[in-house]
């Protein structure tokens, strides 16, 4: 078996790992990225045309982190020439008096992030396709929008490679050895030795770090694409991202492949290797019916759907930071169905931690050892 040395090794190049590889390479660090599938594959959590870039949150930490991510997305766009972040706005509605919406509006006030409260008829006149139900109140957030998710992953990796990062795709890590001074990562042909190891394995994280007993739950989620009849009112310039707090359904404008709609409610528990990718007609029909209610006359045809996975922590906060048993291993996992918007910032934070052991970003609540069930022993995948 070959051996290879590197300063930092990134295990898993989905949303988070691709961003880490880019920021490491940008900082001039000798970095290797390993991905079990081709870069940009559709078997993890980061594929497809869109992820909501939501700056409205129930907690100011997340609103501040989303704001902090914006300059890094713009930097990646300027490095690559790609357009990745579409700040076309997001409209969120809930029944009048909804504590959930009031809580989020209070956070926007606290952080000083702009928003407008709108009646359903205000929404209709501003976004002709959209009809939130009567009796609801809507909050329009202009700094929100969406990211072209698949392109973000591919761009992070391409820009990392331009800056000297080494990529091994279609290469599965079969073991991690933490017994020596430096972490070692084993693939079928090579044993890699590194100063720091970043584990960003998404829904595979609990398996890769099996001895840590991470309290992660993987759920099967589905998204569906419908192509609307009158395309003019459904494009990103006339339709923002929209979320309905009463149903937990949300959707995107027609940005490549049709209007995408999904249910943020948790799907059935699964594992990354056994997830059922057959589309569920009942969920598709419920989303179709919702679409007809909020966009009457859409004349939309079902185009396609895909399966994706959420990797949930018990509190829906992320896991970012050192492995409890080995400070040379950094964990980035448990993004709980809302991590993508932060991915480039997470890559920057992981680079800070890998190179200096510290970051100025507020990640204390994401500590990996905050759950009692964790084991502090080393790991074997
Ligand atoms: C349907 C759906 C909708 C979502 N909507 C939003 C949204 O609107 N906004 C938002 O911010 N977030 C959203 N999310 C969440 C977001 O997409 C995820 O939080 C994020 O993509 C997680 O990225 P990741 O890097 O942790 O995982 P992944 O992207 O899955 O990356 C993990 C990578 O590790 C690789 N890997 C694993 N094990 C190994 C191994 N042994 N060897 C080599 N490689 C390995 C995998 O192949 C994979 O590429 C959504 C998620 C889903 C499923």
């Amino acid at each position: 078996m070959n051996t290879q040395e590197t300063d930092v090794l990134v295990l898993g190049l989905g949303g988070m790992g691709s961003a880490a590889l880019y920021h490491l390479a940008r900082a001039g660090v000798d970095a290797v990225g390993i991905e079990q599938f081709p870069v940009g594959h559709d078997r993890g959590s980061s594929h497809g045309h869109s992820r909501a870039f939501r700056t409205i949150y129930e907690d100011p930490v997340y609103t501040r982190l989303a704001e902090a991510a914006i300059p890094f997305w713009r930097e990646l766009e300027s490095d690559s020439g790609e357009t990745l972040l579409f700040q076309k706005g997001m409209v969120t509605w809930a029944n009048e008096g909804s504590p959930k919406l009031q809580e989020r509006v209070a956070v926007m006030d606290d952080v000083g992030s702009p928003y407008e409260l709108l009646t359903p008829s205000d929404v209709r006149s501003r976004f002709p396709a959209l009809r939130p139900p009567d009796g609801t109140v809507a909050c329009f957030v202009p700094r929100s929008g969406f990211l072209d998710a698949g392109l973000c992953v591919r761009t992070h990796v391409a820009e990392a490679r331009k800056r000297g990062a080494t990529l091994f795709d279609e290469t599965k890590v079969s073991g991690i050895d933490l017994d020596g001074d430096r972490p070692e990562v084993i693939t079928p042909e090579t044993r890699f030795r590194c100063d720091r190891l970043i584990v960003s394995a998404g829904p595979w994280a609990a398996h890769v770090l099996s001895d840590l007993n991470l309290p992660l739950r993987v759920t099967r989620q589905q998204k569906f694409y419908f192509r609307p009849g009158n395309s003019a009112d459904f494009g990103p310039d006339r339709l923002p991202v929209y979320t309905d707090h009463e149903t937990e359904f949300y959707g995107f404008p027609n940005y490549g492949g049709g209007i995408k709609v999904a249910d943020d409610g948790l799907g059935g528990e699964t594992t990354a290797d056994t997830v059922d990718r057959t589309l569920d007609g009942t969920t598709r029909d419920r989303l179709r019916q919702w679409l007809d209610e909020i966009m009457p006359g859409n004349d939309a045809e079902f185009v396609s759907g895909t399966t994706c996975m959420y990797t949930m922590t018990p509190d829906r906060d992320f896991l970012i930071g050192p492995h409890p048993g080995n400070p040379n291993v950094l964990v980035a996992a448990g993004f709980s169905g809302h991590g993508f918007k932060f991915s480039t910032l997470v890559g920057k934070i992981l680079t800070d931690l890998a190179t200096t052991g510290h970051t100025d970003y507020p990640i204390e609540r994401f500590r990996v050892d905050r759950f009692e069930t964790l084991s502090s022993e080393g790991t074997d995948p």
Side-chain angles (χ1 to χ4, degrees):
M1 181 178 271
N2 305 320
T3 57
Q4 194 164 323
E5 307 272 331
T6 185
D7 290 347
V8 182
L9 189 144
V10 184
L11 191 172
L13 300 179
M16 306 303 159
S18 64
L21 195 67
Y22 163 73
H23 285 284
L24 286 162
R26 207 170 195 281
V29 177
D30 174 37
V32 164
I34 305 184
E35 167 55 50
Q36 63 184 337
F37 300 127
V39 167
H41 67 90
D42 63 0
R43 281 170 270 184
S45 300
S46 301
H47 51 282
H49 288 297
S50 48
R51 289 291 184 282
F53 184 80
R54 169 165 70 98
T55 53
I56 180 169
Y57 258 95
E58 63 284 5
D59 190 302
V61 167
Y62 285 110
T63 297
R64 291 198 175 96
L65 289 174
E67 289 282 347
I70 294 170
F72 290 111
W73 286 120
R74 296 298 178 213
E75 182 180 82
L76 179 62
E77 287 179 330
S78 125
D79 280 354
S80 63
E82 301 286 359
T83 304
L84 304 168
L85 171 60
F86 297 78
Q87 286 179 283
K88 301 285 187 182
M90 172 185 279
V91 66
T92 301
W93 64 83
N95 289 339
E96 281 169 16
S98 155
K100 205 170 163 185
L101 192 60
Q102 285 169 351
E103 193 183 34
R104 283 159 174 73
V105 167
V107 167
M108 299 303 275
D109 285 333
D110 183 24
V111 174
S113 202
Y115 68 90
E116 279 176 80
L117 292 179
L118 304 175
T119 64
S121 68
D122 294 334
V123 174
R124 282 171 219 157
S125 50
R126 196 174 299 187
F127 308 111
L130 203 53
R131 304 263 191 290
D134 289 334
T136 57
V137 61
C139 181
F140 176 69
V141 179
R143 289 176 68 72
S144 292
F146 65 95
L147 287 153
D148 187 333
L151 186 58
C152 291
V153 172
R154 295 193 301 275
T155 304
H156 270 134
V157 172
E159 292 301 311
R161 293 186 78 185
K162 273 190 206 160
R163 288 164 179 75
T166 308
L167 168 72
F168 293 87
D169 65 351
E170 300 187 73
T171 304
K172 183 168 178 162
V173 171
S174 56
I176 298 175
D177 181 351
L178 299 183
D179 290 339
D181 294 346
R182 303 167 77 204
E184 297 191 1
V185 168
I186 300 142
T187 66
E189 288 178 5
T190 309
R191 179 176 272 265
F192 294 87
R193 293 201 185 93
C194 55
D195 292 336
R196 302 277 181 278
L197 167 63
I198 293 173
V199 180
S200 46
W204 288 266
H207 174 70
V208 170
L209 295 165
S210 58
D211 282 5
L212 258 189
N213 200 19
L214 292 172
L216 297 176
R217 203 156 52 99
V218 175
T219 64
R220 174 175 110 105
Q221 306 296 137
Q222 307 221 315
K223 42 199 180 167
F224 297 92
Y225 293 84
F226 296 91
R227 184 165 295 116
N230 157 19
S231 54
D233 283 346
F234 299 91
D237 289 328
R238 303 199 75 185
L239 182 64
V241 178
Y242 38 97
T243 66
D244 175 352
H245 276 185
E246 302 305 325
T247 58
E248 296 194 81
F249 296 164
Y250 64 102
F252 295 79
N254 184 7
Y255 171 69
I259 293 176
K260 177 179 126 182
V261 286
D263 179 357
D264 190 39
L266 292 186
E269 198 163 336
T270 184
T271 72
D273 287 323
T274 60
V275 61
D276 177 4
R277 295 186 186 273
T278 319
L279 290 180
D280 161 18
T282 311
T283 307
R284 182 199 58 209
D285 293 346
R286 280 172 56 226
L287 286 163
R288 172 72 218 225
Q289 190 187 340
W290 174 72
L291 204 56
D292 288 343
E293 285 160 17
I294 63 156
M295 291 185 199
N298 60 63
D299 200 18
E301 270 177 37
F302 172 65
V303 182
S304 63
T306 51
T307 302
C308 187
M309 287 167 280
Y310 284 178
T311 308
M312 305 296 297
T313 61
D315 54 14
R316 231 177 157 161
D317 285 332
F318 311 147
L319 297 177
I320 304 176
H323 179 299
N326 190 323
N328 294 328
V329 180
L330 298 167
V331 178
F335 288 93
S336 301
H338 65 120
F340 196 88
K341 63 187 76 61
F342 305 105
S343 54
T344 197
L345 179 66
V346 172
K348 165 69 178 142
I349 289 170
L350 292 167
T351 297
D352 289 348
L353 294 176
T355 53
T356 69
H358 169 80
T359 183
D360 289 335
Y361 294 97
I363 59 162
E364 179 59 19
R365 70 189 291 167
F366 304 138
R367 276 189 10 248
V368 178
D369 64 359
R370 69 183 185 275
F371 300 107
E372 282 176 6
T373 54
L374 281 191
S375 151
S376 62
E377 291 168 14
T379 87
D380 277 312

